[in-house]
Amino acid sequence: MKRLTTPSGKSFLYKRCDSGEIIVYSSDKENKDQDRSAIIITPFIENFVRQKVKDQGKILMGASRDAPPRGSLGYYIREMNQSPQQLSYLSAVLQEEGYCTVMKTGKAYTLIHRR
């Protein structure tokens, strides 16, 4: 497994499956590794996010579970009855793979496509 940190600095482990899913093991409250629970990011969600970032060039992440800003990735993900929380992990993976850059402006994070 690979280790990364979310844009806000939370450590996590992840691996890609042959079937395309990304399995994320978020750290516990003390920011230590755990393997009791996982988040699955489906190929559909990854491809959706990649396409939005590519099409817009720059888009607000909006990983808030409660009220992601209209027009953000989190807003669109929530409209699909998915948790915007997964964007915190997916954005870090996409940045690690060179697909985008994650920038912080105030308290918000923006994904910028690397052309």
Side-chain angles (χ1 to χ4, degrees):
M1 279 196 271
K2 295 183 179 180
R3 178 185 313 278
L4 287 177
T5 57
T6 64
S8 63
K10 184 172 177 157
S11 176
F12 68 96
L13 298 172
Y14 80 97
K15 65 181 176 180
R16 283 191 173 272
C17 297
D18 292 340
S19 55
E21 289 88 359
I22 300 171
I23 302 176
V24 174
Y25 298 91
S26 59
S27 57
D28 65 15
K29 291 180 182 179
E30 287 81 38
N31 210 26
K32 295 181 182 174
D33 295 346
Q34 64 82 31
D35 60 1
R36 293 175 60 193
S37 65
I39 296 169
I40 308 298
I41 301 173
T42 65
F44 175 85
I45 294 296
E46 179 182 359
N47 291 332
F48 176 82
V49 168
R50 283 179 178 270
Q51 194 62 53
K52 279 287 189 194
V53 171
K54 182 179 179 184
D55 289 348
Q56 295 196 18
K58 179 178 176 181
I59 187 167
L60 193 61
M61 180 167 42
S64 167
R65 292 182 189 119
D66 300 323
R70 182 176 285 287
S72 69
L73 288 168
Y75 177 83
Y76 296 119
I77 297 294
R78 188 157 177 195
E79 289 288 302
M80 291 185 246
N81 294 318
Q82 296 284 316
S83 173
Q85 175 190 11
Q86 60 190 310
L87 294 167
S88 295
Y89 307 108
L90 181 55
S91 64
V93 171
L94 294 178
Q95 180 169 261
E96 173 72 12
E97 294 176 350
Y99 188 78
C100 66
T101 301
V102 180
M103 292 187 62
K104 184 175 183 181
T105 306
K107 292 183 179 183
Y109 294 96
T110 302
L111 279 68
I112 303 166
H113 186 248
R114 290 186 186 166
R115 299 185 190 270

